Amino acid sequence: MKKLLQEFSKGVFAENPTFRLALGLCPTLAVSTSVINGFGMGVAATFVIVGSNVIVSAIRNLIPGKIRIPCFIVIIATFVTIVELMMKAYFPVLSNSLGIFVPLIVVNCIVLGRAEAFASRHGMVKSVFDGLGMGVGFTIALVIISSIRELLGNGTVLGLIVAKGFEPALLFILAPGALLIIGLLIGLVNYVSER
Amino acid sequence: MNNILKFAIVLLLVNLVAASILAGVYGITRPKIEAQKRLAQEEALREVMPGSIGDKLEPVEEEGRVKYWQVFKAQASRPVAYIFVAKKYGYSSVIESMVGMKKDGTITGVRILSQNETPGLGAKMIEIISSRTLVSVIKGIFSKDKRPEKEAHPYFTEQFKGLNVKRIEISEGSVQAITGATISSRAVVDSIRERGLEILNAK
């Protein structure tokens, strides 16, 4: 049990995909303009990571090594399409605002990275915890980045105005602001962890 | 040779399973997705032409595509209003809007259907200014007064209501441009005027 919790917590802290591994930065830049978008993307990605980890780990001994990557990609793409269809059917507003970035989870390197580096070498239960940890770590990172960007760039949190008379700095909603925020946060995480 | 055959069979099986799962999910979600699309379209129609529920909508086609819709009141033989989609390239994307127009050219409503303008500038054309602040929401949790918030519309497209397509332009007294997004604002106004005049003159 302790081992399993370790697999979970390493994705959140020691190997946080965004802050420590710097993986999946492209979707992070694109969707972290508002907290709702960031959270929705995080949950969708978590579902895909956990799902693909389970299947990859279940069939890891049946797949010949030479063709494992195409098989992983088919599995990941299947889960992404399920998420996309579900979102369109039940959360049309979220699906509209995330747009092209939901189908692009297929090429999110966190997902393939976990399938290749972890799930293809470990058992199913461990892979579930690894996937959950990575997904939660990614979601937490997205929520932190997007709440800073939404607050500074739009003057709102979860779409609610924080203070009347605050003139938001547009820079933070645009891509350069995202790079600044992510860079500063990675710096902060490194500074804290080195002490 | 043996290996290649084995690889092919494994890939085939993986794809076969994936495809059948997706077919199942698609079958389950398709009616729901279509219902959502219909809902969105109905909502757009209601917004651009308040009071049009129950009226007959008749598409006018040209070269096999719907050009615009004519709105008929019950038993009338001539249309009383039109609903059309106007589009034009703005600053970074094609801006598409749905417009309701009476037969004299008065605009009853405008709704932006799709745009991909700069966030924070041109994209403000779909922004709804919330009157709720964080403080007021927190206060609201503790107070007994629970009045529902009245339905809000984007302030930019609200300006078009009651104006005539023949005379809309970016100016004071007509349509005010969004600060810092004159090109996007102008694209919306121009596309609606051009398309509206085209339909009025076609009669």
Side-chain angles (χ1 to χ4, degrees), chain A residues 15-194:
Chain A
E15 287 179 32
N16 186 295
T18 307
F19 293 139
R20 300 313 307 254
L21 306 181
L23 282 178
L25 288 184
C26 174
T28 309
L29 290 178
V31 304
S32 62
T33 49
S34 76
V35 180
I36 301 210
N37 280 0
F39 185 73
M41 181 68 179
V43 172
T46 305
F47 175 80
V48 174
I49 299 173
V50 173
S52 70
N53 262 10
V54 169
I55 304 294
V56 166
S57 127
I59 60 170
R60 69 185 190 278
N61 295 329
L62 305 174
I63 302 272
K66 276 188 179 152
I67 52 159
R68 65 183 194 286
I69 302 282
C71 291
F72 294 170
I73 290 175
V74 169
I75 293 165
I76 294 167
T78 309
F79 277 102
V80 171
T81 313
I82 293 174
V83 168
E84 196 196 353
L85 289 172
M86 290 287 182
M87 243 188 210
K88 271 196 183 141
Y90 299 102
F91 306 101
V93 179
L94 188 65
S95 142
N96 274 344
S97 65
L98 289 178
I100 185 72
F101 294 101
V102 176
L104 279 184
I105 298 176
V106 176
V107 287
N108 187 324
C109 35
I110 302 170
V111 186
L112 187 60
R114 287 339 281 175
E116 169 74 4
F118 195 94
S120 63
R121 288 169 203 166
H122 293 86
M124 252 213 268
V125 183
K126 262 188 168 179
S127 298
V128 170
F129 277 85
D130 175 74
L132 271 179
M134 284 293 159
V136 170
F138 185 51
T139 310
I140 291 174
L142 274 174
V143 169
I144 293 174
I145 296 164
S146 58
S147 44
I148 297 174
R149 287 182 70 192
E150 196 186 333
L151 179 66
L152 295 178
N154 205 29
T156 59
V157 170
L158 289 163
L160 300 166
I161 300 164
V162 172
K164 283 205 170 111
F166 169 71
E167 198 55 50
L170 196 59
L171 171 73
F172 290 103
I173 287 288
L174 303 175
L179 287 168
L180 268 177
I181 300 277
I182 293 175
L184 288 173
L185 283 173
I186 291 178
L188 184 75
V189 169
N190 282 346
Y191 178 74
V192 171
S193 63
E194 260 170 38

Side-chain angles (χ1 to χ4, degrees), chain B residues 103-118:
Chain B
K103 65 173 179 218
D104 63 350
T106 311
I107 295 171
T108 55
V110 173
R111 182 186 170 112
I112 307 289
L113 294 180
S114 69
Q115 55 87 23
N116 203 0
E117 301 290 291
T118 322

Side-chain angles (χ1 to χ4, degrees), chain B residues 21-90:
Chain B
I21 291 173
L22 282 184
V25 174
Y26 180 67
I28 296 166
T29 51
R30 197 179 57 171
K32 194 85 192 146
I33 292 173
E34 271 167 12
Q36 297 280 16
K37 267 195 192 147
R38 248 197 326 275
L39 206 73
Q41 200 185 7
E42 272 169 24
E43 204 183 298
L45 285 176
R46 223 178 6 251
E47 200 177 309
V48 299
M49 188 137 303
S52 71
I53 306 154
D55 293 349
K56 208 165 60 164
L57 281 178
E58 207 165 87
V60 175
E61 287 181 17
E62 191 174 79
E63 289 154 15
R65 297 178 61 189
V66 177
K67 257 189 92 190
Y68 56 93
W69 291 271
Q70 294 180 319
V71 183
F72 292 95
K73 286 273 175 231
Q75 268 112 47
S77 58
R78 292 177 64 91
V80 292
Y82 305 93
I83 294 173
F84 60 90
V85 172
K87 50 179 121 172
K88 191 159 196 164
Y89 198 82

Side-chain angles (χ1 to χ4, degrees), chain B residues 101-171:
Chain B
M101 176 180 76
K102 288 186 194 157
K103 65 173 179 218
D104 63 350
T106 311
I107 295 171
T108 55
V110 173
R111 182 186 170 112
I112 307 289
L113 294 180
S114 69
Q115 55 87 23
N116 203 0
E117 301 290 291
T118 322
L121 291 172
K124 285 206 165 172
M125 67 177 65
I126 54 163
E127 187 186 57
I128 299 168
I129 293 188
S130 174
S131 56
R132 302 162 68 185
T133 63
L134 201 61
V135 180
S136 78
V137 168
I138 293 167
K139 267 188 197 160
I141 296 170
F142 297 107
S143 79
K144 291 202 178 82
D145 185 20
K146 292 255 196 295
R147 270 174 300 185
E149 204 185 9
K150 64 172 189 236
E151 213 182 324
H153 299 290
Y155 63 91
F156 177 68
T157 48
E158 249 343 61
Q159 303 181 81
F160 288 84
K161 272 189 189 166
L163 298 176
N164 196 302
V165 282
K166 295 170 196 155
R167 285 185 294 275
I168 47 169
E169 54 180 2
I170 295 284
S171 72

